Amino acid sequence: MLYRKTFEYRLFKIINVLFMALVVCGVMLPFLHLLAVSFSDSAANTSGKVHFVPIGWNLEAYKLIFRHPSILNGFWNAIVQTTVGTLISLFMMTICAYPLSKQIKGRKVFIWLIMVTMFFNGGLIPTYMLVKGLGLLDTLWAIVLPSCIMPYFLMIMINFFQSFPDNIEESALIDGLNPIQILFLIVLPLSKAILAAMSLFLVVMFWNNWFNSLIYLNTPEKYPIMLIVRNILEGANMVNSPLQGGAMKNLSTASLQAAAIMATTLPIFCTIPFVQKHFAKGVLLGAVKG
């Protein structure tokens, strides 16, 4: 039987399309504006004529960014922080979430303690004193370890493992596997969706986490790219640096700031298409208890 497209259905479809188009415009227009500013010359940016189309094409901002030693070093630091932080967080949350998804003694107490930390924490000063007391200041571990277990992500993983079929694990137990072998040989290979979703969350979190680097790192050579971009946006110190020479005559602060933002968001845009399918599926599987 064919579905008859009533007037109400057609009206709903039109409104839905218009609403989605409005959302897409609200998301994309700021990026298009930044892209146009980053490719425009100094006179056009200063006069405020640039909107969504570049005026007076100028690539000096991108040339300066990708040859500046501190920015290149910042990209490397951000990649290291993001990679190490994501791997450690996935490992720690997995070995915490899997046991808590089972009916073990004291499970409700541990989950309650996790829920409490979602609403209350020790604060910045006690955390800083703890990191300093452990001798982690100005190290990679000061950025990675305080954020290695996120309560919200942990609860999603717990719900996902609770929905995992028990008969698969029981069959593995009969075959002689212990719980650790079941987790790493059976459960995790079948949990690619939730792992991909958590990986995307963690990658974005660590990549954008400039504030912890500002608090815990004292050596500029260890700054990640997001902290360097933040410094550019705040003071644009690079505009007056001796590296530019004659290349800066057509380069404005606005184009440098816009180019820095576009260069740092590009890796995230390149990552999303590869994990989008698993991301949507993993969030739905972990959000509802089966």
Side-chain angles (χ1 to χ4, degrees), residues 198-212:
M198 293 299 103
S199 297
L200 181 58
F201 279 132
L202 292 169
V203 165
V204 173
M205 183 188 72
F206 282 107
W207 184 265
N208 293 324
N209 190 12
W210 62 268
F211 184 73
N212 283 355

Side-chain angles (χ1 to χ4, degrees), residues 16 35 73-74 83 133 140 187 245 251 267-268 281 284-285 287:
N16 191 32
L35 188 64
N73 188 57
T83 303
L140 171 65
V187 176
L251 179 60
I268 300 299
K281 183 179 179 181
L284 291 177
L285 290 175

Side-chain angles (χ1 to χ4, degrees), residues 72-196:
L72 295 178
N73 188 57
F75 271 109
W76 171 250
N77 293 334
I79 292 173
V80 172
Q81 289 184 10
T82 302
T83 303
V84 175
T86 300
L87 292 177
I88 291 179
S89 295
L90 278 179
F91 176 77
M92 295 295 293
M93 289 195 296
T94 299
I95 63 175
C96 288
Y98 183 70
L100 291 176
S101 66
K102 309 302 177 185
Q103 296 299 325
I104 60 176
K105 188 176 181 180
R107 174 178 175 270
K108 292 184 178 179
V109 176
F110 286 111
I111 291 181
W112 181 82
L113 292 174
I114 293 172
M115 294 292 293
V116 169
T117 61
M118 293 178 63
F119 303 99
F120 305 97
N121 57 59
L124 178 60
I125 295 178
T127 304
Y128 179 86
M129 294 176 64
L130 176 62
V131 172
K132 182 179 180 180
L134 294 174
L136 300 179
L137 284 181
D138 205 28
T139 65
L140 171 65
W141 308 114
I143 310 301
V144 172
L145 294 182
S147 304
C148 66
I149 296 181
M150 305 301 295
Y152 176 73
F153 299 160
L154 182 60
M155 295 302 300
I156 293 179
M157 294 190 72
I158 291 174
N159 289 335
F160 173 83
F161 287 133
Q162 280 182 308
S163 65
F164 198 84
D166 294 333
N167 55 356
I168 297 179
E169 299 179 59
E170 291 172 358
S171 300
L173 283 173
I174 295 175
D175 291 337
L177 298 181
N178 58 48
I180 297 179
Q181 291 174 322
I182 292 175
L183 173 61
F184 288 100
L185 299 180
I186 305 296
V187 176
L188 291 184
L190 298 176
S191 304
K192 294 180 180 178
I194 191 66
L195 294 178

Side-chain angles (χ1 to χ4, degrees), residues 276-290:
Q276 182 179 6
K277 178 180 68 174
H278 298 294
F279 170 73
K281 183 179 179 181
V283 171
L284 291 177
L285 290 175
V288 181
K289 180 180 177 181

